Amino acid sequence: MTAEIHLLHGDRPPSLDPMMALVAADMNEVNSVILDRMQSEVPLIPELAGHLIAGGGKRMRPMLTLACGKLLDYPGRRHCKLAAAVEFIHTATLLHDDVVDKSDLRRGRKTANLIWGNSASVLVGDFLFSRAFEVMVEDGSLKVLKILSRASAVIAEGEVNQLSAQRRIETSEDQYLAIINAKTAELFAAACKIAAVVAERDEATEAALDAYGRNLGIAFQLVDDAIDYVSDAETMGKGVGDDFRDGKVTLPVILAYARGDAAEREFWQLAITGHRTSDEDLAHATSLLHKHDTIADTLARARHYGQRAVDAIGGFRASQAKATLTEAVAFAVARAY
Amino acid sequence: MTAEIHLLHGDRPPSLDPMMALVAADMNEVNSVILDRMQSEVPLIPELAGHLIAGGGKRMRPMLTLACGKLLDYPGRRHCKLAAAVEFIHTATLLHDDVVDKSDLRRGRKTANLIWGNSASVLVGDFLFSRAFEVMVEDGSLKVLKILSRASAVIAEGEVNQLSAQRRIETSEDQYLAIINAKTAELFAAACKIAAVVAERDEATEAALDAYGRNLGIAFQLVDDAIDYVSDAETMGKGVGDDFRDGKVTLPVILAYARGDAAEREFWQLAITGHRTSDEDLAHATSLLHKHDTIADTLARARHYGQRAVDAIGGFRASQAKATLTEAVAFAVARAY
């Protein structure tokens, strides 16, 4: 099913383990920076930030910065500090997302807003966001600052756009793609691209890593949105059907609505506006998704973007780093199975 | 009552009008930058941001940047763009503050969170905050970026600290000062200091403007906290007694608690923890503040910091700009009357 992605790891299931092993030493340094820079004399800040940062995330984005550094044989240490800044930006957006979505669970654990309240989540998110910029300013590259300040604005824009599209069943695939490009793929792209900046490579290299990260990010989000209808709380760390109940119009729904008959469309209209959200309604929705193959087709779309990610770094010479970046794509698109 | 502040404006009441007149042309440019840079393809962003930004604020912080530019005879235009960034940071914190405080009114108008909901306020705040950094990166001064990224982190830290102190009657005057220094005075200080940076003045000048802004900010917040117990919705733009009902322990209360007998302390304990918040309780609280002169003494503290602000710029030669900066202090401390 992932055969379209040209795999380098033979018969075992794709995994992030090889990438983690490759960057383990650098990641230790990233973790030190994270722990050091999330400190504050106000105890609630490290307490709340630590819950999320230490709470079992994959560190996907900083890992990409580090792996791209390896890909470019970057000999310096600057990317470790910047990778920590990227993780701070990501953590800040998660804290604010959970407030916006009124989430109770993330990665299988209680969310910060559930434990400490919305106010603390908003303000500690602001702190982490500001701290990310302080760390970038210490590094001193205006080019990196430009990439990540722009990414932050685009992410927020994407989140507002998503909020505006919520409960609107007429959302198009193009609008949906614009939203996930902004809210998810932009930071993946920036995380990869800054490795090229610190390694002082040419614009073509920057563009290649941007394209790798961006397409991986889109694939990643497409699979996430599919998983929301097929997984359960244990594998996903959040409840199945969350998007459905929140009235989030993701690609599986967009396709099912487009392919549905009048009765089905009326059901989707009621469901997405919050008038059909029982467990039976969710079961009916899921049956419609399967009837029209929209989970499978969402995953096919994900493989398309995954393949583009792999091809974006096709020009780099073969290396262990390139192999792990390729396998990360295969892992991202294989998660649903 | 404001006689301790050495006034230059004779017998008329102190006003911000002379400062506004002095910087009017520059402020037009700031407003253009603000309007231009709050645009987005996502319509909700300019809609919500415009409500607050166009909603009759005094533009106190950017005005200070501009007036300090005049004080230093800065001939350039960079400070206009940076003043817009300062206003964006301020607006982002207001949007998030109103979510944290569940406010319904600001400057006499409905708050954005009341109209568009908490989610939109959080996310548009994030957008404005990111946009502020984009604007600063365009300016290109790492020194300005350092000052304002640090200020942003300190503000967020102060807000979290305030949240932790909320409903804790044992908050000390020192803790309170640390909170208002962070949440209010830090951005006043930064707004003034960056004028010295763009004008390429020495560190002593930076420090003088930092001290001016910081002490003005503390005075400003002290008076705000006094006004919360003496004003009404019309003059203040928010309801009287908001801090009381929110369990915010401000200086008038800290002093009344310290000077009160056992029965009064028990009342404060119950009130601040949210168990005595009726209109009668507020009337009783206000009577206790007056009994112990704590409104008057809070305003006396404000005049102390106001005087320090005036003296911090004492070394600059006499000029119209210096006169307006001095009068701004007198205005800030005279607002309660």
PDB file of all heavy atoms in Angstrom, chain B residues 21-32:
ATOM      1  N   ALA B  21      -0.091  66.016  19.202  1.00  0.00           N
ATOM      2  CA  ALA B  21       0.151  67.016  18.154  1.00  0.00           C
ATOM      3  C   ALA B  21       1.591  66.924  17.652  1.00  0.00           C
ATOM      4  O   ALA B  21       1.855  66.979  16.448  1.00  0.00           O
ATOM      5  CB  ALA B  21      -0.144  68.418  18.700  1.00  0.00           C
ATOM      6  N   LEU B  22       2.499  66.741  18.577  1.00  0.00           N
ATOM      7  CA  LEU B  22       3.923  66.682  18.224  1.00  0.00           C
ATOM      8  C   LEU B  22       4.232  65.536  17.260  1.00  0.00           C
ATOM      9  O   LEU B  22       5.036  65.686  16.336  1.00  0.00           O
ATOM     10  CB  LEU B  22       4.756  66.527  19.509  1.00  0.00           C
ATOM     11  CG  LEU B  22       6.277  66.483  19.346  1.00  0.00           C
ATOM     12  CD1 LEU B  22       6.816  67.873  18.982  1.00  0.00           C
ATOM     13  CD2 LEU B  22       6.960  65.969  20.612  1.00  0.00           C
ATOM     14  N   VAL B  23       3.588  64.402  17.496  1.00  0.00           N
ATOM     15  CA  VAL B  23       3.934  63.202  16.709  1.00  0.00           C
ATOM     16  C   VAL B  23       2.880  62.878  15.652  1.00  0.00           C
ATOM     17  O   VAL B  23       2.913  61.787  15.072  1.00  0.00           O
ATOM     18  CB  VAL B  23       4.151  61.975  17.629  1.00  0.00           C
ATOM     19  CG1 VAL B  23       5.223  62.268  18.673  1.00  0.00           C
ATOM     20  CG2 VAL B  23       2.854  61.517  18.272  1.00  0.00           C
ATOM     21  N   ALA B  24       1.968  63.819  15.372  1.00  0.00           N
ATOM     22  CA  ALA B  24       0.814  63.503  14.510  1.00  0.00           C
ATOM     23  C   ALA B  24       1.224  62.956  13.144  1.00  0.00           C
ATOM     24  O   ALA B  24       0.667  61.957  12.665  1.00  0.00           O
ATOM     25  CB  ALA B  24      -0.060  64.741  14.342  1.00  0.00           C
ATOM     26  N   ALA B  25       2.214  63.582  12.526  1.00  0.00           N
ATOM     27  CA  ALA B  25       2.616  63.138  11.181  1.00  0.00           C
ATOM     28  C   ALA B  25       3.201  61.725  11.257  1.00  0.00           C
ATOM     29  O   ALA B  25       2.855  60.859  10.429  1.00  0.00           O
ATOM     30  CB  ALA B  25       3.641  64.115  10.601  1.00  0.00           C
ATOM     31  N   ASP B  26       4.078  61.493  12.221  1.00  0.00           N
ATOM     32  CA  ASP B  26       4.651  60.147  12.391  1.00  0.00           C
ATOM     33  C   ASP B  26       3.559  59.129  12.693  1.00  0.00           C
ATOM     34  O   ASP B  26       3.602  57.993  12.217  1.00  0.00           O
ATOM     35  CB  ASP B  26       5.681  60.136  13.534  1.00  0.00           C
ATOM     36  CG  ASP B  26       6.919  60.959  13.203  1.00  0.00           C
ATOM     37  OD1 ASP B  26       7.108  61.278  12.007  1.00  0.00           O
ATOM     38  OD2 ASP B  26       7.680  61.288  14.133  1.00  0.00           O
ATOM     39  N   MET B  27       2.587  59.544  13.509  1.00  0.00           N
ATOM     40  CA  MET B  27       1.530  58.598  13.905  1.00  0.00           C
ATOM     41  C   MET B  27       0.675  58.203  12.699  1.00  0.00           C
ATOM     42  O   MET B  27       0.199  57.063  12.629  1.00  0.00           O
ATOM     43  CB  MET B  27       0.667  59.191  15.015  1.00  0.00           C
ATOM     44  CG  MET B  27      -0.313  58.195  15.634  1.00  0.00           C
ATOM     45  SD  MET B  27       0.498  56.754  16.403  1.00  0.00           S
ATOM     46  CE  MET B  27       0.802  57.401  18.043  1.00  0.00           C
ATOM     47  N   ASN B  28       0.507  59.134  11.768  1.00  0.00           N
ATOM     48  CA  ASN B  28      -0.178  58.767  10.517  1.00  0.00           C
ATOM     49  C   ASN B  28       0.546  57.624   9.827  1.00  0.00           C
ATOM     50  O   ASN B  28      -0.079  56.692   9.305  1.00  0.00           O
ATOM     51  CB  ASN B  28      -0.218  59.970   9.562  1.00  0.00           C
ATOM     52  CG  ASN B  28      -1.479  60.785   9.755  1.00  0.00           C
ATOM     53  OD1 ASN B  28      -2.423  60.315  10.395  1.00  0.00           O
ATOM     54  ND2 ASN B  28      -1.489  61.985   9.225  1.00  0.00           N
ATOM     55  N   GLU B  29       1.854  57.705   9.823  1.00  0.00           N
ATOM     56  CA  GLU B  29       2.642  56.649   9.189  1.00  0.00           C
ATOM     57  C   GLU B  29       2.494  55.339   9.969  1.00  0.00           C
ATOM     58  O   GLU B  29       2.355  54.262   9.366  1.00  0.00           O
ATOM     59  CB  GLU B  29       4.107  57.088   9.120  1.00  0.00           C
ATOM     60  CG  GLU B  29       4.925  56.239   8.176  1.00  0.00           C
ATOM     61  CD  GLU B  29       6.305  56.851   7.913  1.00  0.00           C
ATOM     62  OE1 GLU B  29       6.432  58.103   7.918  1.00  0.00           O
ATOM     63  OE2 GLU B  29       7.251  56.069   7.710  1.00  0.00           O
ATOM     64  N   VAL B  30       2.512  55.432  11.288  1.00  0.00           N
ATOM     65  CA  VAL B  30       2.314  54.236  12.120  1.00  0.00           C
ATOM     66  C   VAL B  30       0.963  53.603  11.804  1.00  0.00           C
ATOM     67  O   VAL B  30       0.861  52.381  11.612  1.00  0.00           O
ATOM     68  CB  VAL B  30       2.388  54.583  13.628  1.00  0.00           C
ATOM     69  CG1 VAL B  30       2.019  53.380  14.487  1.00  0.00           C
ATOM     70  CG2 VAL B  30       3.777  55.097  13.993  1.00  0.00           C
ATOM     71  N   ASN B  31      -0.060  54.444  11.715  1.00  0.00           N
ATOM     72  CA  ASN B  31      -1.403  53.915  11.440  1.00  0.00           C
ATOM     73  C   ASN B  31      -1.479  53.252  10.066  1.00  0.00           C
ATOM     74  O   ASN B  31      -2.166  52.243   9.897  1.00  0.00           O
ATOM     75  CB  ASN B  31      -2.442  55.037  11.551  1.00  0.00           C
ATOM     76  CG  ASN B  31      -2.720  55.387  13.004  1.00  0.00           C
ATOM     77  OD1 ASN B  31      -2.598  54.543  13.895  1.00  0.00           O
ATOM     78  ND2 ASN B  31      -3.073  56.638  13.264  1.00  0.00           N
ATOM     79  N   SER B  32      -0.752  53.817   9.100  1.00  0.00           N
ATOM     80  CA  SER B  32      -0.712  53.189   7.777  1.00  0.00           C
ATOM     81  C   SER B  32      -0.077  51.808   7.859  1.00  0.00           C
ATOM     82  O   SER B  32      -0.567  50.849   7.250  1.00  0.00           O
ATOM     83  CB  SER B  32       0.093  54.052   6.801  1.00  0.00           C
ATOM     84  OG  SER B  32      -0.546  55.268   6.603  1.00  0.00           O
TER      85      SER B  32
END
